[in-house]
Amino acid sequence: KADIKIIICTTDPELAKMRFDERLLNEPGRKTFHGEKPIVSSNGKTALLIEQYENISMEVPTLQVDTTNNYNPKIDVVVNFIKRKNSR
């Protein structure tokens, strides 16, 4: 049986868009694996495919991580969360 866990990463939407744009520009092979296609508006700016995100809600262990400036909680907390066995 699988131990399902959810990690929800959050950041400011404008920062997320900036990171998205940078990845598309700096990692040309990324679209091969992620299938990301930017939407270009009439003013030439790119937009994320999802402007508003609704968090998944399941009865499984869930950890929210703010990625605005590094990871909060720290990456070791995230790794321990992943490794921890779910109680049944």
Side-chain angles (χ1 to χ4, degrees):
K1 295 185 177 182
D3 276 339
I4 298 172
K5 296 177 179 70
I6 297 172
I7 298 175
I8 299 172
C9 296
T10 62
T11 194
D12 174 74
E14 285 302 312
L15 179 57
K17 183 188 173 314
M18 184 180 74
R19 289 174 176 171
F20 178 82
D21 290 345
E22 286 176 1
R23 288 180 186 129
L24 287 176
L25 289 172
N26 298 322
E27 301 173 29
R30 182 178 177 84
K31 63 183 176 191
T32 302
F33 302 103
H34 292 275
E36 297 168 331
K37 295 178 182 146
I39 298 171
V40 181
S41 65
S42 59
N43 65 2
K45 292 189 174 190
T46 60
L48 293 172
L49 295 176
I50 300 173
E51 292 293 336
Q52 291 187 343
Y53 175 77
E54 185 175 323
N55 287 341
I56 189 169
S57 178
M58 295 176 62
E59 300 269 337
V60 298
T62 302
L63 179 67
Q64 189 136 357
V65 180
D66 181 345
T67 64
T68 301
N69 187 15
N70 296 313
Y71 294 99
N72 185 18
K74 301 260 184 240
I75 194 70
D76 59 326
V77 173
V78 176
V79 170
N80 287 334
F81 173 78
I82 294 166
K83 290 180 176 181
R84 188 177 66 224
K85 290 284 185 193
N86 294 353
S87 56
R88 304 216 191 268

